[in-house]
Amino acid sequence: MNKTDKFIFWYNNEFKTDPLYKTMEDTCEGSPWHRERSVAVHTDMVVSQYLLTISTMRNQHEFIHGLFACAFHDTGKPEARIEKYSEARGKYNAFHGHEQISARLWEDYAIRNYKMLEDKFDFDVNDIFKIGFLVEQHKPWELKDPKKLGMLRETLERLRIKPQFNAMCLADSRGRIADDYNEKSGKANDWLVNFNRSDYPREEGHYTSDKILYVPIGASGSGKSTHWHALCQSHIDDGTPLNNFSLD
């Protein structure tokens, strides 16, 4: 099987039996933007929509990034759900911050299933990070500030996940049952056209720096301090000593 077929098998036979998916099955948004029976139904629709975009990707490995991002993009909604009230809508559900929760749930899942992802999809920690970034940025529609838009586009390009981002955002906007569907999906498409236009203003070099920040992450006793001392020595040898911000 190729990687796309492996993903489809994983999605239908492993992910759909995972508690993350089951909690989405038990969560209904019930808003003008989402009339699906559950968040899980919307997720299925988004994955299906993304699968239609394979021809726009450079290779299957990059394509798979977006597929996993689509699978996990709303896994945080059950945890983020709160009930609110307004005169216009009455009682309704809100899911503020679900993008960040979803990204952390993906990272947790990826660490717990690292061997499987490595064996089946050739993933490494960089792939896990890229997918997490896509999940966390899957709702960019309210981003209007040119500087912030430029920073987002610069980051996506440097991570080489801009095509996956575009395809995922389109899949998310199209893979739903919504009031005024055509109008809502049209606005999403217009946003992406503006975001990707070649004459988009940007400041070359504005988001680059020759400074490097090292942030060691690992459990106690995993070798962070040993690595730090070795890193310090290598920089001393190169004539570029490091400044220690914190050893905490």
Side-chain angles (χ1 to χ4, degrees):
M1 289 192 294
N2 61 34
K3 288 182 181 179
T4 301
D5 291 336
K6 287 179 181 179
F7 172 86
I8 293 172
F9 184 89
W10 167 84
Y11 187 84
N12 289 308
N13 294 280
E14 296 182 38
F15 186 57
K16 284 192 173 183
T17 63
D18 191 279
L20 288 171
Y21 188 89
K22 294 297 184 181
T23 56
M24 290 195 294
E25 285 186 311
D26 296 332
T27 306
C28 177
E29 182 161 335
S31 74
W33 296 271
H34 287 283
R35 296 299 188 189
E36 307 88 28
R37 182 177 69 251
S38 69
V39 175
V41 171
H42 166 62
T43 301
D44 292 346
M45 296 173 72
V46 173
V47 169
S48 296
Q49 284 289 326
Y50 187 91
L51 283 167
L52 299 175
T53 68
I54 189 168
S55 61
T56 67
M57 298 293 165
R58 289 181 294 185
N59 59 62
Q60 271 211 342
H61 193 73
E62 292 182 354
F63 182 68
I64 294 296
H65 289 153
L67 273 176
F68 272 97
C70 287
F72 278 84
H73 81 287
D74 276 352
T75 51
K77 276 191 171 178
E79 183 177 336
R81 187 185 74 84
I82 58 172
E83 191 175 274
K84 301 182 76 173
Y85 176 84
S86 72
E87 291 291 335
R89 297 177 61 183
K91 287 184 179 180
Y92 67 96
N93 293 322
F95 303 89
H96 307 304
H98 78 273
E99 308 95 319
Q100 290 79 18
I101 298 173
S102 297
R104 304 294 83 76
L105 288 172
W106 153 249
E107 291 163 356
D108 178 70
Y109 177 90
I111 295 302
R112 287 187 287 107
N113 295 275
Y114 189 86
K115 190 69 171 68
M116 180 273 292
L117 294 171
E118 184 180 46
D119 291 344
K120 289 185 179 180
F121 302 100
D122 300 321
F123 278 179
D124 59 22
V125 291
N126 290 319
D127 298 304
I128 292 171
F129 173 77
K130 289 177 181 181
I131 293 167
F133 189 85
L134 288 169
V135 171
E136 194 157 350
Q137 301 298 325
H138 80 267
K139 273 188 62 181
W141 317 116
E142 295 180 3
L143 199 58
K144 308 293 183 184
D145 180 77
K147 182 177 180 180
K148 291 182 179 179
L149 286 167
M151 292 174 70
L152 175 59
R153 196 165 80 165
E154 180 89 1
T155 303
L156 292 168
E157 289 172 352
R158 286 179 176 274
L159 292 175
R160 297 183 180 179
I161 53 174
K162 193 157 169 277
Q164 299 93 307
F165 173 80
N166 290 333
M168 180 190 65
C169 288
L170 283 176
D172 187 25
S173 68
R174 295 171 179 172
R176 65 180 66 210
I177 302 169
D179 298 352
D180 302 321
Y181 172 86
N182 290 334
E183 179 184 354
K184 288 182 172 65
S185 60
K187 287 182 178 179
N189 186 70
D190 291 344
W191 188 94
L192 282 169
V193 168
N194 177 68
F195 181 65
N196 289 287
R197 73 180 196 265
S198 59
D199 64 338
Y200 191 88
R202 61 192 301 169
E203 299 177 58
E204 291 295 337
H206 183 74
Y207 307 111
T208 63
S209 172
D210 59 354
K211 295 181 180 179
I212 300 174
L213 173 66
Y214 295 100
V215 184
I217 299 174
S220 297
S222 62
K224 297 188 300 296
S225 297
T226 301
H227 178 68
W228 163 255
H229 291 303
L231 196 61
C232 284
Q233 187 59 53
S234 69
H235 276 266
I236 291 172
D237 294 341
D238 291 340
T240 58
L242 293 179
N243 293 317
N244 170 39
F245 177 74
S246 172
L247 284 176
D248 185 4

